Amino acid sequence: MPVTDLLKRGRARAEPAASERAPSAASHALEPLTRTLPEQIAARLAERILNGAYSPGERVREESIATEFAVSRGPAREALRLLEKDGLITILARRGAMVTNLSADEVREIFEIRAVLNGLRDRSVAECEARKQLLPLLEAEVARLAQCARVPALGEQYVETVLQINRLLNRATPNRRLSSYLASLEQQTARYSRLGLSTPERRRQSVQRWQRLVKAIRAGDGAQAERIARERVLESRDAAIALLAAKVATQPGARQPSRIATT
């Protein structure tokens, strides 16, 4: 795929859904042909989970989904199974589906994997000749990050831009299998990425890493690009774990669990 098409496609996929729990009738018109019906429903529900419309620990009822999307319970059930596969919900016997609680253990596991994969991705991009086409797009996105980082109220826009940059780099790597692995981790890491970038201080630290990455890619320095990527992801991991631990510490009589529910 030409690099010049990457940003346009990423922008289209990054468009947020409405945050309301009960979307308008027009929003129920599921997109034809591109994905199966359960996949379309799962994508809508995933957006709500990632945007916080569904809280960790909240039940997601199969019958309510079937009613809302005007489908039988079969596609609704399959959509929930897809969300469970992505780690966004947990299906329990006799209790049904619940939004997965945020977990310090899961942060460690996923982000350690992601640090390695992002490092390989950014190194491959820096060492690829196609980086010269990618750079104007990447520079524009990182400039947008810098603008958001200067305004504390633009935290959500900052996170969305980070997600967009990661999609851009995922598509730019010449390693197609690596790109596929990273795409499969996106939903599992999105909630934690938001948590790890939830403070103005963290966003200012993060944008410095992205600016350094642009310089490394411009210079064709794959080793430096890989180091920066790993540091960036591990910093986000540490910030998310610290915030989860702090939340537990404020709860009277609470002990540090591996599963941490948030409100």
Side-chain angles (χ1 to χ4, degrees), residues 4-258:
T4 51
D5 292 342
L6 296 175
L7 188 57
K8 183 185 297 183
R9 291 190 58 182
R11 282 288 179 209
R13 292 185 60 183
E15 289 179 0
S19 59
E20 290 80 9
R21 181 62 56 83
S24 66
S27 72
H28 284 177
L30 299 176
E31 43 189 290
L33 301 178
T34 55
R35 290 184 287 190
T36 67
L37 187 57
E39 287 171 342
Q40 293 176 51
I41 296 170
R44 296 287 180 82
L45 297 175
E47 287 173 346
R48 297 179 193 177
I49 293 170
L50 298 178
N51 291 336
Y54 286 116
S55 301
E58 183 175 348
R59 289 192 65 183
V60 184
R61 298 181 183 275
E62 181 182 302
E63 58 271 26
S64 298
I65 295 169
T67 299
E68 177 184 344
F69 291 98
V71 297
S72 67
R73 294 181 66 165
R77 187 178 305 115
E78 181 60 26
L80 292 176
R81 288 175 181 154
L82 292 171
L83 292 173
E84 183 178 40
K85 182 180 178 181
D86 284 337
L88 294 179
I89 69 165
T90 302
I91 300 176
L92 302 174
R94 294 183 297 278
R95 296 183 63 187
M98 302 176 64
V99 177
T100 304
N101 287 325
L102 298 178
S103 161
D105 288 343
E106 188 174 53
V107 174
R108 292 187 186 94
E109 292 172 1
I110 293 177
F111 275 66
E112 285 169 8
I113 295 169
R114 189 164 172 253
V116 174
L117 296 182
N118 275 23
L120 292 173
R121 177 198 69 189
D122 293 0
R123 181 176 193 133
S124 71
V125 170
E127 293 176 348
C128 178
E129 276 300 309
R131 73 180 186 278
K132 296 174 183 177
Q133 294 174 274
L134 173 70
L135 271 169
L137 306 177
L138 183 59
E139 288 168 345
E141 293 295 298
V142 173
R144 186 174 291 109
L145 274 188
Q147 293 173 350
C148 293
R150 288 193 289 269
V151 182
L154 296 181
E156 182 60 25
Q157 290 91 325
Y158 186 94
V159 173
E160 287 300 325
T161 304
V162 166
L163 294 175
Q164 167 58 24
I165 293 173
N166 275 300
R167 294 184 190 110
L168 179 64
L169 291 169
N170 288 351
R171 294 184 180 92
T173 177
N175 187 326
R176 296 296 91 197
R177 192 175 295 267
L178 176 59
S179 177
S180 176
Y181 289 154
L182 284 163
S184 71
L185 282 175
E186 181 177 343
Q187 288 192 338
Q188 296 179 47
T189 59
R191 289 195 297 171
Y192 298 118
S193 294
R194 280 184 162 82
L195 185 62
L197 294 169
S198 60
T199 66
E201 180 183 6
R202 268 293 298 132
R203 294 192 288 273
R204 288 192 295 269
Q205 181 186 42
S206 165
V207 75
Q208 291 175 2
R209 295 290 187 197
W210 285 111
Q211 289 167 337
R212 287 177 57 201
L213 177 65
V214 169
K215 292 179 181 178
I217 291 176
R218 187 185 299 115
D221 190 340
Q224 177 70 349
E226 182 172 4
R227 280 193 295 272
I228 293 167
R230 292 193 182 208
E231 290 169 357
R232 186 184 67 248
V233 173
L234 294 179
E235 285 170 355
S236 188
R237 174 204 64 185
D238 293 344
I241 290 174
L243 287 170
L244 288 171
K247 189 171 188 66
V248 169
T250 63
Q251 298 173 353
R255 297 171 59 187
Q256 176 71 48
S258 60

